[in-house]
Amino acid sequence: MKKLICLFWLIFAYPLMAQDYSSPILTNDQPTNIGNYNQSIIYVFFNNEPCQGCAEAISIIENAYNQQFDNEYNLFIINYQKDWQSNFIRQYDLSQPLEVVLVRVDDGGAFGYRKLTNLQYMTSDPTSLYDYFVQQVDNFLED
């Protein structure tokens, strides 16, 4: 029951608490990790539009997360066009095929977010995309 409540909290309540704005990316219908409610969140949002480069960008982002941030932050890959995910569209003003949202969490509360866009256009240089993503996460979510 606790896991169900935690999952509900992460999927529906966190997006309603974010305040700031910047720019990010991710994919999947379910969280890849329920994680700690006190860890900041990396959302990778995708939609149903055809997108050349989105799958590769998501793969690079997941790889960077697994190598750099696995125990530090929570990662969720979400198709934001599913009916039950529509609150993400409003909260983070999602419209592109791939967007990453970094949400800063402290003491269980969200304190701003940064949105990363156009990452699918950076896949021609995977190392640069990897480094850019890591740098953005470090700059916004590091204490």
Side-chain angles (χ1 to χ4, degrees), residues 27-75:
T27 101
N28 227 341
D29 293 335
Q30 296 297 324
T32 57
N33 153 11
I34 291 181
N36 181 332
Y37 78 95
N38 202 36
Q39 289 180 322
S40 292
I41 301 170
I42 301 169
Y43 287 116
V44 177
F45 293 108
F46 67 100
N47 64 21
N48 297 327
E49 293 178 29
C51 172
Q52 185 174 2
C54 286
E56 185 178 355
I58 290 168
S59 177
I60 293 167
I61 290 166
E62 279 188 294
N63 186 37
Y65 171 81
N66 290 332
Q67 291 179 4
Q68 302 285 328
F69 308 115
D70 190 30
N71 293 317
E72 248 179 291
Y73 309 118
N74 292 308
L75 173 70

Short mmCIF file of all heavy atoms in Angstrom, two decimals, residues 27-75:
data_model
loop_
_atom_site.label_atom_id
_atom_site.label_comp_id
_atom_site.label_asym_id
_atom_site.label_seq_id
_atom_site.Cartn_x
_atom_site.Cartn_y
_atom_site.Cartn_z
N THR A 27 11.50 8.94 -21.53
CA THR A 27 10.48 8.04 -22.12
C THR A 27 9.97 6.92 -21.22
O THR A 27 10.70 6.45 -20.39
CB THR A 27 10.96 7.37 -23.43
OG1 THR A 27 11.38 6.05 -23.20
CG2 THR A 27 12.04 8.12 -24.14
N ASN A 28 8.79 6.41 -21.35
CA ASN A 28 8.19 5.23 -20.70
C ASN A 28 6.89 5.60 -20.01
O ASN A 28 6.73 6.71 -19.57
CB ASN A 28 9.12 4.56 -19.69
CG ASN A 28 9.18 3.08 -19.84
OD1 ASN A 28 8.29 2.50 -20.45
ND2 ASN A 28 10.20 2.46 -19.32
N ASP A 29 5.99 4.61 -19.88
CA ASP A 29 4.70 4.88 -19.26
C ASP A 29 4.74 4.78 -17.75
O ASP A 29 3.92 5.34 -17.07
CB ASP A 29 3.65 3.90 -19.80
CG ASP A 29 3.38 4.15 -21.26
OD1 ASP A 29 3.59 5.28 -21.71
OD2 ASP A 29 2.96 3.21 -21.95
N GLN A 30 5.68 4.05 -17.23
CA GLN A 30 5.78 3.86 -15.79
C GLN A 30 7.15 4.31 -15.32
O GLN A 30 8.12 4.24 -16.05
CB GLN A 30 5.58 2.37 -15.44
CG GLN A 30 4.20 1.86 -15.80
CD GLN A 30 3.10 2.57 -15.02
OE1 GLN A 30 3.27 2.90 -13.87
NE2 GLN A 30 2.00 2.83 -15.67
N PRO A 31 7.23 4.74 -14.09
CA PRO A 31 8.53 5.11 -13.56
C PRO A 31 9.50 3.94 -13.61
O PRO A 31 9.12 2.80 -13.38
CB PRO A 31 8.22 5.49 -12.10
CG PRO A 31 6.78 5.85 -12.10
CD PRO A 31 6.15 5.00 -13.16
N THR A 32 10.77 4.22 -13.93
CA THR A 32 11.77 3.18 -13.98
C THR A 32 12.27 2.87 -12.58
O THR A 32 12.97 1.90 -12.38
CB THR A 32 12.97 3.61 -14.85
OG1 THR A 32 13.48 4.83 -14.31
CG2 THR A 32 12.56 3.81 -16.28
N ASN A 33 11.89 3.71 -11.62
CA ASN A 33 12.42 3.58 -10.28
C ASN A 33 11.53 4.40 -9.37
O ASN A 33 11.35 5.58 -9.59
CB ASN A 33 13.87 4.08 -10.35
CG ASN A 33 14.40 4.64 -9.06
OD1 ASN A 33 13.81 4.50 -8.01
ND2 ASN A 33 15.54 5.29 -9.17
N ILE A 34 10.94 3.78 -8.38
CA ILE A 34 10.07 4.53 -7.47
C ILE A 34 10.90 5.46 -6.62
O ILE A 34 10.54 6.58 -6.36
CB ILE A 34 9.22 3.58 -6.62
CG1 ILE A 34 8.21 2.90 -7.51
CG2 ILE A 34 8.54 4.32 -5.49
CD1 ILE A 34 7.29 1.97 -6.84
N GLY A 35 12.07 5.02 -6.22
CA GLY A 35 13.05 5.88 -5.58
C GLY A 35 12.64 6.49 -4.27
O GLY A 35 11.66 6.11 -3.65
N ASN A 36 13.39 7.45 -3.86
CA ASN A 36 13.24 8.13 -2.60
C ASN A 36 12.45 9.42 -2.83
O ASN A 36 12.80 10.21 -3.69
CB ASN A 36 14.65 8.42 -2.07
CG ASN A 36 14.65 9.11 -0.75
OD1 ASN A 36 13.73 9.84 -0.40
ND2 ASN A 36 15.71 8.90 0.01
N TYR A 37 11.44 9.66 -2.02
CA TYR A 37 10.62 10.85 -2.19
C TYR A 37 11.41 12.14 -1.99
O TYR A 37 10.99 13.21 -2.40
CB TYR A 37 9.41 10.83 -1.24
CG TYR A 37 9.77 11.22 0.18
CD1 TYR A 37 9.60 12.52 0.61
CD2 TYR A 37 10.28 10.29 1.08
CE1 TYR A 37 9.94 12.89 1.90
CE2 TYR A 37 10.62 10.66 2.36
CZ TYR A 37 10.44 11.95 2.77
OH TYR A 37 10.78 12.32 4.03
N ASN A 38 12.57 12.04 -1.36
CA ASN A 38 13.38 13.22 -1.09
C ASN A 38 14.47 13.44 -2.14
O ASN A 38 15.30 14.32 -2.00
CB ASN A 38 14.00 13.13 0.30
CG ASN A 38 14.39 14.50 0.83
OD1 ASN A 38 13.72 15.48 0.58
ND2 ASN A 38 15.51 14.54 1.53
N GLN A 39 14.48 12.64 -3.20
CA GLN A 39 15.47 12.82 -4.27
C GLN A 39 14.88 13.67 -5.38
O GLN A 39 13.70 13.54 -5.71
CB GLN A 39 15.88 11.47 -4.86
CG GLN A 39 16.73 10.63 -3.94
CD GLN A 39 17.11 9.31 -4.57
OE1 GLN A 39 16.30 8.70 -5.26
NE2 GLN A 39 18.31 8.86 -4.32
N SER A 40 15.69 14.52 -5.97
CA SER A 40 15.24 15.30 -7.12
C SER A 40 14.91 14.34 -8.26
O SER A 40 15.31 13.18 -8.25
CB SER A 40 16.32 16.29 -7.53
OG SER A 40 16.47 17.29 -6.54
N ILE A 41 14.15 14.84 -9.23
CA ILE A 41 13.60 13.99 -10.29
C ILE A 41 14.06 14.46 -11.66
O ILE A 41 14.10 15.66 -11.94
CB ILE A 41 12.06 14.02 -10.25
CG1 ILE A 41 11.56 13.54 -8.90
CG2 ILE A 41 11.47 13.18 -11.37
CD1 ILE A 41 10.07 13.76 -8.69
N ILE A 42 14.35 13.48 -12.51
CA ILE A 42 14.62 13.73 -13.92
C ILE A 42 13.49 13.06 -14.68
O ILE A 42 13.37 11.84 -14.66
CB ILE A 42 15.98 13.15 -14.36
CG1 ILE A 42 17.12 13.77 -13.53
CG2 ILE A 42 16.18 13.37 -15.86
CD1 ILE A 42 18.46 13.07 -13.71
N TYR A 43 12.62 13.87 -15.30
CA TYR A 43 11.55 13.35 -16.14
C TYR A 43 12.01 13.41 -17.59
O TYR A 43 12.48 14.45 -18.04
CB TYR A 43 10.28 14.19 -16.03
CG TYR A 43 9.49 14.07 -14.76
CD1 TYR A 43 9.35 15.15 -13.91
CD2 TYR A 43 8.85 12.88 -14.43
CE1 TYR A 43 8.59 15.07 -12.76
CE2 TYR A 43 8.09 12.78 -13.28
CZ TYR A 43 7.97 13.88 -12.44
OH TYR A 43 7.21 13.79 -11.30
N VAL A 44 11.83 12.33 -18.31
CA VAL A 44 12.04 12.33 -19.76
C VAL A 44 10.66 12.13 -20.38
O VAL A 44 10.05 11.09 -20.21
CB VAL A 44 13.01 11.22 -20.20
CG1 VAL A 44 13.13 11.21 -21.71
CG2 VAL A 44 14.37 11.40 -19.56
N PHE A 45 10.17 13.17 -21.04
CA PHE A 45 8.84 13.14 -21.64
C PHE A 45 8.94 12.96 -23.14
O PHE A 45 9.76 13.61 -23.80
CB PHE A 45 8.09 14.44 -21.36
CG PHE A 45 7.73 14.64 -19.92
CD1 PHE A 45 8.39 15.59 -19.15
CD2 PHE A 45 6.74 13.89 -19.33
CE1 PHE A 45 8.07 15.79 -17.82
CE2 PHE A 45 6.39 14.08 -18.00
CZ PHE A 45 7.06 15.03 -17.24
N PHE A 46 8.10 12.10 -23.67
CA PHE A 46 7.99 11.94 -25.12
C PHE A 46 6.50 11.87 -25.46
O PHE A 46 5.66 11.70 -24.58
CB PHE A 46 8.73 10.68 -25.60
CG PHE A 46 8.13 9.39 -25.14
CD1 PHE A 46 7.32 8.65 -25.99
CD2 PHE A 46 8.36 8.91 -23.87
CE1 PHE A 46 6.75 7.46 -25.58
CE2 PHE A 46 7.82 7.71 -23.44
CZ PHE A 46 7.00 6.99 -24.29
N ASN A 47 6.19 12.05 -26.74
CA ASN A 47 4.79 11.95 -27.16
C ASN A 47 4.67 10.96 -28.31
O ASN A 47 5.62 10.25 -28.63
CB ASN A 47 4.22 13.33 -27.50
CG ASN A 47 4.89 13.97 -28.69
OD1 ASN A 47 5.50 13.33 -29.52
ND2 ASN A 47 4.78 15.29 -28.77
N ASN A 48 3.50 10.92 -28.92
CA ASN A 48 3.23 9.94 -29.97
C ASN A 48 3.65 10.40 -31.36
O ASN A 48 3.46 9.67 -32.32
CB ASN A 48 1.73 9.60 -29.98
CG ASN A 48 1.30 8.96 -28.68
OD1 ASN A 48 2.07 8.25 -28.04
ND2 ASN A 48 0.07 9.24 -28.27
N GLU A 49 4.19 11.60 -31.49
CA GLU A 49 4.61 12.10 -32.80
C GLU A 49 5.85 11.36 -33.28
O GLU A 49 6.74 11.06 -32.48
CB GLU A 49 4.95 13.59 -32.73
CG GLU A 49 3.77 14.48 -32.44
CD GLU A 49 4.18 15.94 -32.32
OE1 GLU A 49 5.17 16.34 -32.97
OE2 GLU A 49 3.51 16.65 -31.58
N PRO A 50 5.95 11.09 -34.59
CA PRO A 50 7.19 10.49 -35.11
C PRO A 50 8.35 11.44 -34.85
O PRO A 50 8.22 12.65 -35.03
CB PRO A 50 6.92 10.35 -36.61
CG PRO A 50 5.46 10.53 -36.79
CD PRO A 50 4.96 11.31 -35.62
N CYS A 51 9.46 10.90 -34.40
CA CYS A 51 10.59 11.75 -34.03
C CYS A 51 11.88 11.04 -34.35
O CYS A 51 12.27 10.10 -33.66
CB CYS A 51 10.51 12.06 -32.54
SG CYS A 51 11.97 12.91 -31.90
N GLN A 52 12.56 11.53 -35.37
CA GLN A 52 13.86 10.98 -35.70
C GLN A 52 14.86 11.48 -34.66
O GLN A 52 14.96 12.67 -34.41
CB GLN A 52 14.29 11.43 -37.09
CG GLN A 52 15.57 10.80 -37.55
CD GLN A 52 15.87 11.16 -38.99
OE1 GLN A 52 15.15 11.91 -39.64
NE2 GLN A 52 16.95 10.62 -39.51
N GLY A 53 15.53 10.60 -34.03
CA GLY A 53 16.52 10.97 -33.02
C GLY A 53 16.03 10.84 -31.60
O GLY A 53 16.85 10.84 -30.68
N CYS A 54 14.73 10.76 -31.38
CA CYS A 54 14.21 10.70 -30.00
C CYS A 54 14.65 9.43 -29.27
O CYS A 54 15.13 9.50 -28.14
CB CYS A 54 12.69 10.81 -29.98
SG CYS A 54 12.10 12.50 -30.30
N ALA A 55 14.50 8.29 -29.92
CA ALA A 55 14.87 7.03 -29.26
C ALA A 55 16.35 7.01 -28.91
O ALA A 55 16.74 6.59 -27.82
CB ALA A 55 14.51 5.84 -30.15
N GLU A 56 17.18 7.49 -29.83
CA GLU A 56 18.62 7.52 -29.57
C GLU A 56 18.95 8.51 -28.45
O GLU A 56 19.78 8.22 -27.57
CB GLU A 56 19.38 7.90 -30.84
CG GLU A 56 20.88 7.83 -30.67
CD GLU A 56 21.66 8.14 -31.93
OE1 GLU A 56 21.04 8.34 -33.00
OE2 GLU A 56 22.89 8.21 -31.84
N ALA A 57 18.31 9.67 -28.45
CA ALA A 57 18.55 10.66 -27.39
C ALA A 57 18.14 10.11 -26.03
O ALA A 57 18.86 10.28 -25.04
CB ALA A 57 17.79 11.95 -27.70
N ILE A 58 17.01 9.43 -25.99
CA ILE A 58 16.55 8.84 -24.74
C ILE A 58 17.54 7.79 -24.25
O ILE A 58 17.85 7.71 -23.06
CB ILE A 58 15.13 8.26 -24.89
CG1 ILE A 58 14.13 9.41 -25.06
CG2 ILE A 58 14.77 7.39 -23.70
CD1 ILE A 58 12.76 8.97 -25.51
N SER A 59 18.04 7.00 -25.17
CA SER A 59 19.03 5.98 -24.82
C SER A 59 20.29 6.61 -24.24
O SER A 59 20.85 6.14 -23.24
CB SER A 59 19.36 5.15 -26.05
OG SER A 59 20.35 4.20 -25.76
N ILE A 60 20.76 7.69 -24.83
CA ILE A 60 21.95 8.40 -24.34
C ILE A 60 21.68 8.98 -22.96
O ILE A 60 22.53 8.91 -22.06
CB ILE A 60 22.39 9.49 -25.34
CG1 ILE A 60 22.88 8.83 -26.64
CG2 ILE A 60 23.45 10.41 -24.74
CD1 ILE A 60 23.05 9.79 -27.81
N ILE A 61 20.50 9.55 -22.77
CA ILE A 61 20.12 10.12 -21.48
C ILE A 61 20.05 9.04 -20.40
O ILE A 61 20.56 9.21 -19.29
CB ILE A 61 18.79 10.87 -21.59
CG1 ILE A 61 18.99 12.14 -22.42
CG2 ILE A 61 18.21 11.19 -20.22
CD1 ILE A 61 17.72 12.78 -22.89
N GLU A 62 19.43 7.91 -20.74
CA GLU A 62 19.37 6.80 -19.78
C GLU A 62 20.77 6.30 -19.42
O GLU A 62 21.06 6.02 -18.25
CB GLU A 62 18.56 5.63 -20.34
CG GLU A 62 17.07 5.80 -20.21
CD GLU A 62 16.33 4.55 -20.61
OE1 GLU A 62 16.39 4.18 -21.79
OE2 GLU A 62 15.71 3.94 -19.71
N ASN A 63 21.63 6.20 -20.41
CA ASN A 63 23.00 5.77 -20.18
C ASN A 63 23.73 6.76 -19.25
O ASN A 63 24.40 6.35 -18.30
CB ASN A 63 23.74 5.64 -21.52
CG ASN A 63 25.12 5.07 -21.37
OD1 ASN A 63 25.36 4.19 -20.55
ND2 ASN A 63 26.05 5.56 -22.18
N ALA A 64 23.59 8.04 -19.51
CA ALA A 64 24.21 9.07 -18.66
C ALA A 64 23.66 8.98 -17.24
O ALA A 64 24.42 9.06 -16.26
CB ALA A 64 23.97 10.46 -19.25
N TYR A 65 22.35 8.82 -17.13
CA TYR A 65 21.73 8.69 -15.80
C TYR A 65 22.30 7.48 -15.06
O TYR A 65 22.71 7.59 -13.89
CB TYR A 65 20.21 8.57 -15.92
CG TYR A 65 19.56 8.21 -14.61
CD1 TYR A 65 19.30 9.19 -13.65
CD2 TYR A 65 19.23 6.89 -14.31
CE1 TYR A 65 18.73 8.86 -12.44
CE2 TYR A 65 18.66 6.56 -13.10
CZ TYR A 65 18.41 7.55 -12.16
OH TYR A 65 17.84 7.22 -10.95
N ASN A 66 22.33 6.33 -15.72
CA ASN A 66 22.82 5.10 -15.08
C ASN A 66 24.28 5.21 -14.66
O ASN A 66 24.66 4.68 -13.62
CB ASN A 66 22.62 3.89 -16.00
CG ASN A 66 21.16 3.53 -16.17
OD1 ASN A 66 20.35 3.78 -15.29
ND2 ASN A 66 20.83 2.95 -17.30
N GLN A 67 25.09 5.91 -15.43
CA GLN A 67 26.51 6.03 -15.11
C GLN A 67 26.81 7.14 -14.10
O GLN A 67 27.77 7.03 -13.34
CB GLN A 67 27.31 6.27 -16.39
CG GLN A 67 27.34 5.07 -17.29
CD GLN A 67 28.12 5.33 -18.58
OE1 GLN A 67 28.71 6.38 -18.77
NE2 GLN A 67 28.11 4.34 -19.47
N GLN A 68 26.02 8.20 -14.11
CA GLN A 68 26.36 9.38 -13.30
C GLN A 68 25.45 9.65 -12.10
O GLN A 68 25.90 10.21 -11.11
CB GLN A 68 26.34 10.64 -14.19
CG GLN A 68 27.26 10.59 -15.37
CD GLN A 68 28.71 10.77 -14.98
OE1 GLN A 68 29.03 11.47 -14.03
NE2 GLN A 68 29.60 10.12 -15.71
N PHE A 69 24.15 9.30 -12.22
CA PHE A 69 23.17 9.79 -11.24
C PHE A 69 22.26 8.72 -10.65
O PHE A 69 21.30 9.06 -9.95
CB PHE A 69 22.28 10.86 -11.89
CG PHE A 69 23.04 11.95 -12.56
CD1 PHE A 69 22.96 12.13 -13.93
CD2 PHE A 69 23.85 12.82 -11.82
CE1 PHE A 69 23.66 13.15 -14.56
CE2 PHE A 69 24.55 13.84 -12.45
CZ PHE A 69 24.45 14.00 -13.81
N ASP A 70 22.52 7.46 -10.89
CA ASP A 70 21.61 6.37 -10.52
C ASP A 70 21.14 6.42 -9.07
O ASP A 70 19.98 6.22 -8.78
CB ASP A 70 22.25 5.02 -10.83
CG ASP A 70 21.27 3.87 -10.71
OD1 ASP A 70 20.07 4.09 -10.95
OD2 ASP A 70 21.71 2.75 -10.39
N ASN A 71 22.00 6.69 -8.14
CA ASN A 71 21.63 6.68 -6.72
C ASN A 71 21.37 8.08 -6.17
O ASN A 71 21.03 8.24 -5.02
CB ASN A 71 22.72 6.00 -5.89
CG ASN A 71 22.83 4.53 -6.21
OD1 ASN A 71 21.83 3.85 -6.35
ND2 ASN A 71 24.05 4.05 -6.37
N GLU A 72 21.52 9.09 -7.02
CA GLU A 72 21.37 10.47 -6.59
C GLU A 72 19.98 11.05 -6.85
O GLU A 72 19.45 11.82 -6.06
CB GLU A 72 22.38 11.35 -7.33
CG GLU A 72 23.45 11.91 -6.45
CD GLU A 72 24.42 12.75 -7.26
OE1 GLU A 72 25.15 12.17 -8.08
OE2 GLU A 72 24.41 13.98 -7.08
N TYR A 73 19.41 10.71 -8.01
CA TYR A 73 18.13 11.27 -8.44
C TYR A 73 17.21 10.15 -8.93
O TYR A 73 17.66 9.06 -9.24
CB TYR A 73 18.33 12.29 -9.57
CG TYR A 73 19.37 13.33 -9.28
CD1 TYR A 73 20.51 13.43 -10.06
CD2 TYR A 73 19.22 14.20 -8.21
CE1 TYR A 73 21.48 14.39 -9.79
CE2 TYR A 73 20.18 15.16 -7.93
CZ TYR A 73 21.31 15.24 -8.72
OH TYR A 73 22.27 16.18 -8.45
N ASN A 74 15.91 10.47 -9.03
CA ASN A 74 14.95 9.54 -9.62
C ASN A 74 14.79 9.85 -11.10
O ASN A 74 14.80 11.02 -11.49
CB ASN A 74 13.58 9.68 -8.93
CG ASN A 74 13.61 9.21 -7.50
OD1 ASN A 74 14.05 8.11 -7.21
ND2 ASN A 74 13.16 10.06 -6.59
N LEU A 75 14.62 8.81 -11.91
CA LEU A 75 14.42 8.98 -13.35
C LEU A 75 13.10 8.36 -13.75
O LEU A 75 12.79 7.23 -13.37
CB LEU A 75 15.55 8.28 -14.12
CG LEU A 75 15.40 8.22 -15.64
CD1 LEU A 75 15.56 9.61 -16.25
CD2 LEU A 75 16.42 7.27 -16.23
#
